[in-house]
Amino acid sequence: MATDYVVKDIALAGYGRKELDIAETEMPGLMACRQEYGESKPLSGARIVGSLHMTIQTAVLIETLVELGADVRWASCNIFSTQDHAAAVIAESGVPVFAVKGQSLEEHWDYLDKSFQFADGPNMILDDGGDATLYVLLGARAEAGEEIIPVPTSEEETVIKAQIAKRMAESPGWFTKIRDQIKGVSEETTTGVHRLYELVRDGQLPFPAINVNDSVTKSKFDNKYGCKESLVDGIRRATDTMMAGKVAVVMGYGDVGKGSAASLAGAGARVKVTEVDPICALQAAMDGFEVVLLEDVVGSADIFITTTGNKDVIRIEHMREMKDMAIVGNIGHFDNEIQVAALKNHKWTRIKEQVDMIEMPNGNRLILLSEGRLLNLGNATGHPSFVMSASFTNQVLAQIELWQNTDKYKNDVYILPKHLDEKVARLHLDRIGVKLTQLDSAQAAYIGVTPEGPFKPEHYRY
Ligand code: NAI
């Protein structure tokens, strides 16, 4: 039988299994899902296409979905984020997976297409950044003879269009059929969620979506505490540079920016922040960071990190002003935060995988991490298991909800109810020895809640 996977080296599966066993001990939320739902198998009949960084933590998520009854096929949502031993162990377990660290953009979209190829097509999407949703929607639009809506970068647009044309030639009507049988999507990240709300605004979302990112136990933990650990990890593994004493500029002070600034400050860097939002700028200042204009510090800082989810934040004119050996990287979802395309005609020297030295016209050199793609996953291994357990427990609950209660939902974007958010947090307390105070009924009544929760009104912002 032909193998139904593309991985770097299946022999890495043994190493992958050992790391997966360790990760399970740090992912109490996912393990609790297996205990609670392993027998009733609420995902029976679900055929889930997953497009999310193929890491060890994701491997624990995949095995959880399978234990809950789902059929799963997987691709990574980024060309540099795969951990090849994680992909290998998933392939060996019999789950079709298409992910290699350092795959090309063409392979990226081909692998995504492969992850859709269940015999009867998928009926659920688990997305990170929205590529899987985008693929189906763009393809269905193309089949209807409609214009293809803008995609992240022009380089990517050419590749996506070619992949869609190929699939349309091989299987006429395929995209429309798949779009119509998808019951729902759960979306992991800020950037993907942003795309979903735009689709709703334009009346283009063809199935319900759960915004996993805006569960409190996702964005206020993964985006913040996750980046707090994984940003500096990525910079160190890439460069081994001394962080203490260096001047670092963090662009954006949302959840990822807050974690990133804390990461660099914790390593002893002197951190400056840029922001466009007065609330986040004030937060940064009151957290003790100088809030500056990039133009004013670009010639003196040592490390530049974008965290905005926006485009063209570090532009070519900024990079021309940077000092020799400045380090430039991005931790936001897409690579268009830094104008990497404008550097293509400069001299590039490959230091090692995902680390390049680029010579600027004035002779200064820049160290560019992961070609501007998210460096914590490109240069290191992403967030630790414990925080990803909280994110992925939300993913599992969202998949169960959309699969079991499809009819309750319109073609709109939903957030999981607060009692489930609190449940996810609760599942992670024991592992780190947290003791929770119990409200008595008089106290609960006084603050207008029940002793079991939810403990906060919907408008509370944490
Ligand atoms: P957010 O919306 O909370 O924060 C982004 C911040 O950037 C906002 O405060 C915004 O005002 C600011 N901003 C926008 N344009 C700017 C500009 N030109 N200059 C300075 N500041 C600007 O979003 P969040 O949750 O922090 O996510 C940011 C990005 O990181 C998204 O692309 C998200 O998908 C991604 N992400 C990456 C993770 C990783 O592990 N690498 C983990 C979680 C999210």
Side-chain angles (χ1 to χ4, degrees):
M1 197 184 85
T3 50
D4 197 9
Y5 59 76
V6 180
V7 300
K8 175 131 193 247
D9 180 4
I10 194 71
L12 294 170
Y15 170 37
R17 179 58 63 191
K18 285 180 202 153
E19 288 227 325
L20 208 142
D21 287 345
I22 294 173
E24 285 183 357
T25 70
E26 284 277 283
M27 302 189 85
L30 288 182
M31 301 316 278
C33 288
R34 292 187 194 181
Q35 265 205 319
E36 185 171 347
Y37 303 112
E39 257 180 46
S40 59
K41 308 230 175 286
L43 291 175
S44 289
R47 299 187 298 277
I48 303 172
V49 50
S51 167
L52 194 152
H53 311 289
M54 186 56 251
T55 63
I56 286 291
Q57 293 71 33
T58 302
V60 183
L61 168 65
I62 292 171
E63 294 202 334
T64 305
L65 295 169
V66 169
E67 192 157 329
L68 270 54
D71 268 341
V72 178
R73 296 176 70 87
W74 213 267
S76 191
C77 62
N78 182 280
I79 61 172
F80 292 140
S81 64
T82 295
Q83 292 162 23
D84 290 315
H85 61 317
V89 68
I90 287 304
E92 194 194 54
S93 78
V95 172
V97 53
F98 310 90
V100 176
K101 188 176 182 75
Q103 65 200 28
S104 68
L105 263 187
E106 287 76 12
E107 286 164 341
H108 176 76
W109 288 93
D110 175 48
Y111 294 170
L112 183 64
D113 178 79
K114 285 185 164 55
S115 69
F116 273 81
Q117 303 307 322
F118 292 86
D120 301 317
N123 49 26
M124 295 288 291
I125 296 176
L126 193 158
D127 224 350
D128 182 348
D131 280 0
T133 306
L134 186 79
Y135 186 51
V136 186
L137 265 50
L138 290 185
R141 284 177 73 91
E143 284 174 352
E146 290 169 27
E147 193 203 347
I148 292 200
I149 49 178
V151 290
T153 61
S154 50
E155 188 191 6
E156 196 134 2
E157 186 167 325
T158 316
V159 179
I160 299 175
K161 283 184 173 164
Q163 176 60 48
I164 288 174
K166 189 167 161 233
R167 173 54 55 208
M168 281 169 70
E170 277 174 25
S171 339
W174 180 84
F175 285 106
T176 309
K177 177 186 149 219
I178 299 300
R179 181 197 63 192
D180 293 346
Q181 74 183 36
I182 296 288
K183 293 194 181 302
V185 54
S186 58
E187 168 56 53
E188 174 83 0
T189 198
T190 315
T191 287
V193 160
H194 180 68
R195 281 183 178 178
L196 289 172
Y197 284 110
E198 281 181 345
L199 287 167
V200 173
R201 180 198 64 198
D202 299 341
Q204 299 276 346
L205 186 68
F207 34 70
I210 290 187
N211 164 358
V212 166
N213 182 67
D214 287 292
S215 287
V216 179
T217 48
K218 200 284 182 180
S219 51
K220 300 293 170 187
F221 290 82
D222 164 329
N223 304 25
K224 184 180 171 186
Y225 302 110
C227 291
K228 187 173 173 191
E229 307 233 352
S230 64
L231 172 63
V232 159
D233 187 14
I235 300 171
R236 285 200 204 284
R237 292 201 208 193
T239 66
D240 291 318
T241 198
M242 180 83 182
M243 220 77 70
K246 295 276 168 60
V247 174
V249 186
V250 173
M251 279 139 276
Y253 203 70
D255 292 318
V256 169
K258 288 179 176 72
S260 299
S263 186
L264 290 156
R270 291 175 286 157
V271 180
K272 299 176 195 281
V273 169
T274 74
E275 249 299 345
V276 296
D277 177 338
I279 296 178
C280 298
L282 189 59
Q283 283 180 314
M286 295 184 70
D287 283 341
F289 300 114
E290 193 182 344
V291 183
V292 298
L293 297 179
L294 179 57
E295 289 70 21
D296 293 342
V297 294
V298 74
S300 55
D302 304 283
I303 301 169
F304 297 87
I305 305 296
T306 52
T307 79
T308 68
N310 204 343
K311 63 173 187 170
D312 300 328
V313 178
I314 297 182
R315 296 185 292 278
I316 185 68
E317 65 264 27
H318 297 130
M319 292 185 276
R320 286 200 188 111
E321 296 294 312
M322 289 176 186
K323 65 186 196 191
D324 191 34
M325 297 307 277
I327 295 169
V328 181
N330 163 50
I331 194 168
H333 191 80
F334 284 120
D335 58 336
N336 52 355
E337 300 209 21
I338 303 170
Q339 285 184 343
V340 176
L343 294 171
K344 288 290 178 212
N345 57 356
H346 293 57
K347 182 176 173 221
W348 287 50
T349 305
R350 169 85 6 137
I351 306 300
K352 60 182 181 182
E353 292 299 299
Q354 285 84 51
V355 182
D356 293 287
M357 186 168 71
I358 297 155
E359 199 172 314
M360 302 304 289
N362 65 1
N364 284 352
R365 294 153 301 170
L366 304 183
I367 299 290
L368 179 67
L369 307 184
S370 289
E371 297 175 29
R373 296 174 195 273
L374 25 74
L375 77 93
N376 60 329
L377 282 139
N379 297 94
T381 50
H383 300 343
S385 301
F386 187 72
V387 83
M388 293 316 295
S389 175
S391 302
F392 288 165
T393 305
N394 281 291
Q395 281 285 5
V396 170
L397 295 175
Q399 286 286 320
I400 295 175
E401 184 57 24
L402 285 171
W403 177 245
Q404 294 247 308
N405 298 312
T406 316
D407 298 341
K408 264 176 45 188
Y409 295 97
K410 296 190 297 226
N411 295 345
D412 206 341
V413 184
Y414 297 85
I415 294 175
L416 284 175
K418 196 170 285 293
H419 74 92
L420 291 180
D421 219 347
E422 290 181 358
K423 174 176 171 169
V424 173
R426 204 180 281 277
L427 290 172
H428 291 84
L429 300 181
D430 267 2
R431 178 70 181 82
I432 51 173
V434 173
K435 299 222 168 19
L436 205 58
T437 302
Q438 179 70 39
L439 277 177
D440 66 33
S441 51
Q443 285 179 314
Y446 187 71
I447 60 169
V449 301
T450 60
E452 305 74 42
F455 296 97
K456 297 286 192 296
E458 280 310 317
H459 59 258
Y460 188 79
R461 292 195 171 93
Y462 296 87

